[in-house]
């Protein structure tokens, strides 16, 4: 089983739609979780961290379910500018004290259509 | 401004040549990482370093080498042993502990001609 798996894309949605992405992780010792956005031929940029209590930033809502080992990202009222690839990032506990390793999902491509 | 600087942004290399990609950060971060991204693919870890003078192989270290002589610098050398080096290379850094934001450089595009 892959360490971090994301919904297969691409997701093609009309403007104004609500879209949700899921990401599952296999290591229950995972410490922290993030959603990153990556535009074509650019570096990933932090969209939001994901907390156990869930968190919201404008049209974006992220949630973490430790029992089922998945995180989700919900985008409401999609805009054309939301078109990008969304990466799930999990910080795993590596070998040795204080050693952490980041693991990325392959990303889900979102295209918002006029 | 604080951040991660990668250079060069675009690089062309002839087969059989080694090339070094630079990564410098002024964020005072302990941990630094090198990732490779191929078109339509996710990020794959090449090497990472948690502290100065120490680094570990990632998932695809063969054909690559790194050094961490200074906290702010983590250069990556793509050697001639790397069979398919054409890719987008991303350097990143964090404070090293859980829950800390990961920052990326703008990336370097390497093409073998």
């Amino acid at each position: 089983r892959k360490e971090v798996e994301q919904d297969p894309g691409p997701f093609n949605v009309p403007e104004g739609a609500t879209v949700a992405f899921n990401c599952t992780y296999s290591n229950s010792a995972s410490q922290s979780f993030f959603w990153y956005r990556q535009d074509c031929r650019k570096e990933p940029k932090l969209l939001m961290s994901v907390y156990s209590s869930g968190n919201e930033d404008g049209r974006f809502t992220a949630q973490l379910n430790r029992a089922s080992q998945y995180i989700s990202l919900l985008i409401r009222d999609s805009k054309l500018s939301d078109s990008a690839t969304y990466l799930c990032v999990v910080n795993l506990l590596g070998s040795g004290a204080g050693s952490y390793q980041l693991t990325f999902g392959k990303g889900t491509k979102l295209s918002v259509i006029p | 401004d604080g951040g991660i600087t990668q250079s060069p942004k675009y690089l062309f290399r002839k087969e059989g040549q080694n090339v070094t990609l630079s990564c410098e950060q002024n964020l005072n971060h302990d941990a630094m990482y090198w990732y490779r991204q191929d078109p339509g693919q996710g990020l794959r870890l090449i090497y990472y370093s948690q502290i100065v003078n120490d680094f570990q192989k990632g998932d695809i270290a063969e054909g690559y080498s790194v050094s961490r002589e200074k906290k702010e610098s983590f250069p990556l050398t793509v050697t001639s042993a790397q069979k398919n080096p054409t890719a987008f290379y991303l350097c990143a850094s964090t404070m090293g502990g859980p829950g800390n934001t990961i920052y990326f450089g703008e990336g370097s595009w390497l093409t073998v001609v």
Side-chain angles (χ1 to χ4, degrees), chain B residues 32-88:
Chain B
M32 297 186 73
Y33 308 79
W34 272 105
Y35 292 91
R36 167 181 174 144
Q37 188 176 36
D38 294 283
Q41 300 297 314
L43 277 68
R44 292 186 290 169
L45 181 65
I46 304 172
Y47 268 98
Y48 66 103
S49 169
Q50 301 287 349
I51 57 173
V52 175
N53 292 323
D54 187 48
F55 49 82
Q56 287 81 41
K57 292 182 178 180
D59 301 319
I60 55 166
E62 185 175 351
Y64 299 96
S65 66
V66 294
S67 63
R68 187 84 187 277
E69 297 177 1
K70 298 185 295 183
K71 186 176 184 177
E72 59 269 23
S73 179
F74 192 41
L76 173 74
T77 297
V78 185
T79 74
S80 57
Q82 170 50 235
K83 299 305 179 187
N84 297 295
T86 296
F88 185 43

Side-chain angles (χ1 to χ4, degrees), chain A residues 58-72:
Chain A
R59 298 181 294 109
F60 298 85
T61 301
Q63 291 191 314
L64 166 64
N65 185 318
R66 284 194 181 270
S68 301
Q69 295 183 201
Y70 76 85
I71 66 173
S72 63

